Amino acid sequence: MTATLGAPVALTAPAPVRGTGPATLIDQFELGLDAPICLTWELTYACNLACSHCLSASGKRDPRELSTEQCKSIIDELERMQVFYVNIGGGEPTIRPDFWELVDYATEHHVGVKFSTNGVRINEKVAARLAASDYVDVQISIDGATAEVNDAVRGKGSFDMAVRALRNLRDAGFRDAKISVVMTRHNIPQLDQFKALADEYKATLRITRLRPSGRGADVWDDLHPTKEQQRELYNWLVAHGEGVLTGDSFFHLSAYGEALPGLNLCGAGRVVCLIDPLGDVYACPFAIHDKFLAGSVVRDGGFQQVWQHSELFLDLRSPQTGGACAKCSHFDSCRGGCMAAKFFTGLPLDGPDPECVQGYGEALLAGDREIPAASQDHSRTGKRKERNRSGPIPLTLSIKPPTKICDENPVSGMRPV
Ligand code: SF4
Ligand code: SF4
């Protein structure tokens, strides 16, 4: 999928769900809000690409995907909850035949749209249409500043496709598209080139952390930045980060010293959540697993009900002890790092992040741990690669023939556009 967790957008006046007396904004965030400030909605698991690190293990459309009418009723509810923006992703959301209809419906109902795409449908005509809207933002995913680095992860031809989309948007006068990059061992040396690419296309650079979720779990060992690269990234952000979006991606790096801009805490279930293509609600886009399933907008009385009353979310909003990290002198800035990164690497949720900059995660990774089995997989290439395998994982797309027709065509069963 194209990662969608964006910089937080103030959507609604923060109102604590629980607690009394005056509270700081961060206190309010920790207690949870009436509505999420960063809601990601994956419209489909179908995708024309098969990126090796896809966090939702996308590829095939799930036949149980929400219908157009069900999507519209979610938008109605978001409007009632005063969720003014939604981050739409997938899969590749634009290959849903009703994608533009849903975008129009959302903006007509006061729900702005930021969508993530690999660029496949951003031709000149679409770019002109997007440039005419004040309520739609576009994020193009690129994971290398050169075709060589990008295509090794995202597939042959994907760099050219993304750059063509950026060119079309710029030439149509679209203001401030985002270039969304998942930082890996191979592209950290390209940080300056990414910035130059963003400048060339009058876009804003947005970088996110590689999480070991979805197919990302299969390649995390080989792709996540080295210790030295983490420091390099931190230094680069301190020196050049102004105007670069990071969301909550790198707050674990704040333990190096200066806090980085963005949300400096895990917002899962507090200010962040995900609605998946079936209407299931998870605590965070990087935590698509039964363990973080809060409920269903279809079966559990709608999104508001799940967001405000699910047991999981109430638990995530309850005061946390900090566990083993509480004794760390950097806890206030790092807060033990990312819950999803810990979970999918088999580390305790109340201990250090696997990429803890003090090195505690590394020590834990070297010990006994049980990596949780994926609870879902939508890959078109069949069975996912085994974790804990020996030998390197090739970072190229599989060219195995499909076993079923729907393995070949991600939009199989959909109406033609
Ligand atoms: S689980 Fe990780 S990615 Fe998700 S909100 Fe928390 S810190 Fe961010
Ligand atoms: S020990 Fe925990 S709080 Fe300290 S830097 Fe590592 S992950 Fe962060």
Side-chain angles (χ1 to χ4, degrees):
M1 107 147 213
T2 41
T4 56
L5 193 63
V9 183
L11 304 175
T12 184
V17 169
R18 287 192 307 284
T20 54
T24 66
L25 199 57
I26 289 295
D27 289 339
Q28 291 184 344
F29 283 0
E30 289 202 291
L31 290 169
L33 307 180
D34 276 351
I37 56 172
C38 192
L39 169 60
T40 297
W41 184 1
E42 291 182 352
L43 279 181
T44 182
Y45 284 122
C47 190
N48 52 312
L49 297 184
C51 304
S52 65
H53 59 348
C54 177
L55 69 91
S56 56
S58 284
K60 286 184 285 193
R61 174 181 174 265
D62 190 310
R64 298 165 298 166
E65 200 167 80
L66 296 173
S67 67
T68 308
E69 289 318 308
Q70 285 175 310
C71 290
K72 285 182 177 173
S73 74
I74 291 176
I75 293 167
D76 292 342
E77 198 179 4
L78 298 181
E79 182 184 26
R80 286 195 297 275
M81 289 176 75
Q82 293 187 292
V83 174
F84 298 137
Y85 261 92
V86 64
N87 297 300
I88 287 183
E92 171 51 47
T94 64
I95 61 180
R96 255 189 86 123
D98 58 1
F99 177 72
W100 301 110
E101 181 183 344
L102 292 174
V103 169
D104 287 345
Y105 189 83
T107 55
E108 282 158 17
H109 288 77
H110 311 108
V111 180
V113 169
K114 180 193 290 184
F115 73 90
S116 294
T117 173
N118 55 43
V120 63
R121 290 271 160 93
I122 312 295
N123 58 26
E124 289 174 15
K125 197 169 149 211
V126 167
R129 171 199 169 116
L130 290 168
S133 171
D134 286 336
Y135 303 102
V136 182
D137 198 5
V138 187
Q139 219 161 251
I140 308 288
S141 299
I142 295 185
D143 293 328
T146 54
E148 189 194 2
V149 172
N150 176 82
D151 292 4
V153 177
R154 301 186 60 82
K156 198 167 182 319
S158 58
F159 182 80
D160 290 345
M161 184 168 75
V163 167
R164 188 197 60 205
L166 284 168
R167 189 181 309 115
N168 287 337
L169 288 167
R170 181 197 59 192
D171 294 351
F174 186 89
R175 284 194 306 276
D176 199 23
K178 310 293 178 293
I179 294 181
S180 182
V181 182
V182 177
M183 298 314 305
T184 67
R185 200 167 293 182
H186 303 298
N187 66 23
I188 291 234
Q190 298 186 314
L191 279 161
D192 289 332
Q193 283 168 270
F194 282 121
K195 188 74 179 63
L197 193 69
D199 291 344
E200 182 181 349
Y201 291 101
K202 299 192 186 334
T204 295
L205 179 60
R206 174 177 176 271
I207 61 174
T208 56
R209 181 179 175 189
L210 173 71
R211 270 85 168 194
S213 3
R215 285 196 294 271
D218 306 336
V219 294
W220 189 80
D221 291 347
D222 301 312
L223 285 189
H224 80 97
T226 62
K227 204 171 164 186
E228 294 70 32
Q229 286 180 322
Q230 290 217 92
R231 175 57 97 161
E232 185 184 339
L233 173 60
Y234 172 77
N235 290 343
W236 189 87
L237 280 169
V238 170
H240 310 287
E242 204 178 322
V244 175
L245 304 175
T246 57
D248 74 354
S249 274
F250 300 109
F251 67 93
H252 67 298
L253 298 183
S254 296
Y256 278 129
E258 206 174 307
L260 295 169
L263 183 64
N264 274 280
L265 86 160
C266 170
R270 295 161 164 157
V271 295
V272 170
C273 78
L274 167 96
I275 303 177
D276 91 341
L278 315 185
D280 287 338
V281 182
Y282 292 89
C284 153
F286 300 96
I288 304 177
H289 191 279
D290 291 348
K291 164 106 181 156
F292 301 107
L293 177 60
S296 157
V297 298
V298 180
R299 295 185 302 279
D300 296 323
F303 176 70
Q304 184 164 8
Q305 179 67 20
V306 176
W307 174 258
Q308 293 186 350
H309 303 290
S310 84
E311 258 178 60
L312 174 74
F313 286 174
L314 294 181
D315 189 41
L316 287 170
R317 293 165 196 162
S318 63
Q320 311 287 317
T321 63
C325 285
K327 291 195 198 114
C328 172
S329 56
H330 304 284
F331 181 70
D332 281 349
S333 46
C334 164
R335 291 164 181 264
C338 170
M339 179 182 77
K342 291 186 255 199
F343 177 75
F344 287 109
T345 49
L347 300 188
L349 297 190
D350 62 352
D353 188 287
E355 294 182 295
C356 161
V357 301
Q358 300 300 315
Y360 297 116
E362 238 171 292
L364 288 173
L365 289 173
D368 280 345
R369 60 196 165 106
E370 200 172 322
I371 295 180
S375 57
Q376 49 181 300
D377 180 21
H378 312 276
S379 305
R380 269 179 288 133
T381 48
K383 195 171 175 295
R384 292 244 312 269
K385 296 175 187 81
E386 291 299 325
R387 196 85 203 284
N388 287 338
R389 76 285 165 219
S390 55
I393 289 173
L395 298 177
T396 48
L397 291 177
S398 165
I399 49 166
K400 255 184 16 192
T403 49
K404 295 194 295 252
I405 189 66
C406 65
D407 290 351
E408 174 64 23
N409 181 0
V411 292
S412 148
M414 288 179 147
R415 285 181 283 122
V417 186

